[in-house]
Amino acid sequence: METKLSKRLAAVAAYVPKNSRLADVGSDHAYLPLFLVEKGHIDFAVAGEVVQGPYQSALANVTQASKQEQIQVRLANGLAAIDSSDQIDTITIAGMGGRLIADILSAGMDKLVNVQRLILQPNNREDELRIWLEENGFQIVAEEMVVENQKFYEILVVEKGQMTLNQLEKRFGPYLMQEKSADFIAKWQNEARKLSQSLEKVPSDHQDDITLLREKIKAIKEVLDVSSSSD
Ligand code: SAM
């Protein structure tokens, strides 16, 4: 049976270049590499997993699909799953916190020398990941927002290079805030609503918290207002 991907993982997969040599870090069931190999889009991948349970399910799925030749499932922490002989040129890291993704990349910088593209899907702290990328010689070349089961996911397509992001771009994403898709607007309207609710509950003597929340809401309004005036 062919592997089917969630909308979120399908969006990540769409940025993997044809015939790339892929490392999928935190692969869990190995769905992403299986899908791409079954489609004939790639023919070599490493599926890395640090936890026994997901590692075993990745191994079982790859074996069941008879794709052991093309997909090597490895039990390892982050980029320790790969070495230079794998000639990996594309890395996907999806479904983890932005800080953890940055930590994985930081710890494996030596493994990134020949990598052409990173496709990253942080579940949170997207701004921290963008800051890490900016400070470590990476540039974002595309971004996409995906909504699935009422959750908003940001996908960052990254290559080597320099970028300078302003405060708003770090938080909202340079491409996402340019494009201002309906999903982008929905995500940030939702966020502004939650922040306003929090603001109402902050005791009046907690001035620092109040200022911080107000600034966050103001930034959202600024970005969203620009969107409506440019329509
Ligand atoms: N990438 C899949 C996806 O997006 O659907 C799985 C996401 S799952 C929520 C995150 C996976 O990353 C878990 O299976 C976890 O064990 C694995 N993981 C977390 N930290 C890791 C690390 N440092 N190295 C490798 N795998 C890791």
Side-chain angles (χ1 to χ4, degrees):
M1 210 174 67
E2 293 226 326
T3 304
K4 287 211 167 64
L5 294 185
S6 63
K7 188 176 169 193
R8 173 185 61 82
L9 273 185
V12 171
Y15 290 100
V16 175
K18 192 163 168 60
N19 297 324
S20 55
R21 292 177 68 86
L22 175 72
D24 182 37
V25 177
S27 201
D28 200 350
H29 297 82
Y31 291 145
L32 180 65
L34 271 170
F35 172 82
L36 290 167
V37 165
E38 284 166 358
K39 256 182 42 166
H41 193 73
I42 61 171
D43 63 13
F44 180 80
V46 171
E49 246 303 330
V50 75
V51 175
Q52 266 293 341
Y55 163 74
Q56 291 298 343
S57 54
L59 204 55
N61 287 344
V62 169
T63 307
Q64 197 178 15
S66 303
K67 298 294 182 200
Q68 304 94 309
E69 293 268 301
Q70 293 101 324
I71 304 173
Q72 300 196 5
V73 183
R74 297 180 187 160
L75 184 64
N77 187 352
L79 298 179
I82 57 172
D83 64 35
S84 57
S85 67
D86 296 316
Q87 298 181 292
I88 296 298
D89 51 38
T90 304
I91 294 178
T92 47
I93 311 181
M96 300 177 205
R99 191 180 287 172
L100 177 56
I101 294 177
D103 287 347
I104 287 173
L105 295 172
S106 263
M109 279 298 264
D110 55 320
K111 307 286 178 75
L112 297 174
V113 179
N114 295 314
V115 170
Q116 310 275 325
R117 175 173 280 200
L118 310 172
I119 303 142
L120 310 173
Q121 183 268 298
N123 283 345
N124 56 37
R125 297 183 189 269
E126 295 85 356
D127 52 347
E128 288 184 30
L129 180 57
R130 288 191 185 94
I131 292 166
W132 185 91
L133 292 167
E134 182 184 46
E135 289 174 351
N136 286 277
F138 293 95
Q139 59 176 336
I140 299 171
V141 298
E143 290 175 316
E144 187 170 332
M145 172 95 72
V146 175
V147 188
E148 189 170 55
N149 301 328
Q150 287 150 9
K151 284 200 182 132
F152 296 94
Y153 299 102
E154 296 184 14
I155 295 165
L156 280 57
V157 185
V158 173
E159 294 180 356
K160 299 254 172 65
Q162 298 300 320
M163 66 174 173
T164 307
L165 301 177
N166 63 34
Q167 288 305 322
L168 291 180
E169 288 170 331
K170 282 173 187 158
R171 179 148 176 239
F172 296 92
Y175 291 90
L176 294 173
M177 64 180 276
Q178 275 291 321
E179 187 197 3
K180 292 183 192 90
S181 66
D183 291 338
F184 175 89
I185 293 169
K187 168 179 171 156
W188 288 108
Q189 281 177 338
N190 200 28
E191 194 64 28
R193 208 173 302 124
K194 284 197 253 171
L195 290 168
S196 298
Q197 283 164 0
S198 306
L199 186 59
E200 281 167 22
K201 292 184 197 133
V202 179
S204 57
D205 57 340
H206 289 209
Q207 265 313 317
D208 288 354
D209 295 338
I210 291 173
T211 306
L212 188 69
L213 284 167
R214 283 197 178 136
E215 277 169 7
K216 285 185 171 185
I217 295 167
K218 188 168 160 252
I220 295 173
K221 287 195 171 145
E222 199 179 317
V223 169
L224 295 185
D225 276 347
V226 175
S227 97
S228 54
S229 63
S230 66
D231 279 344

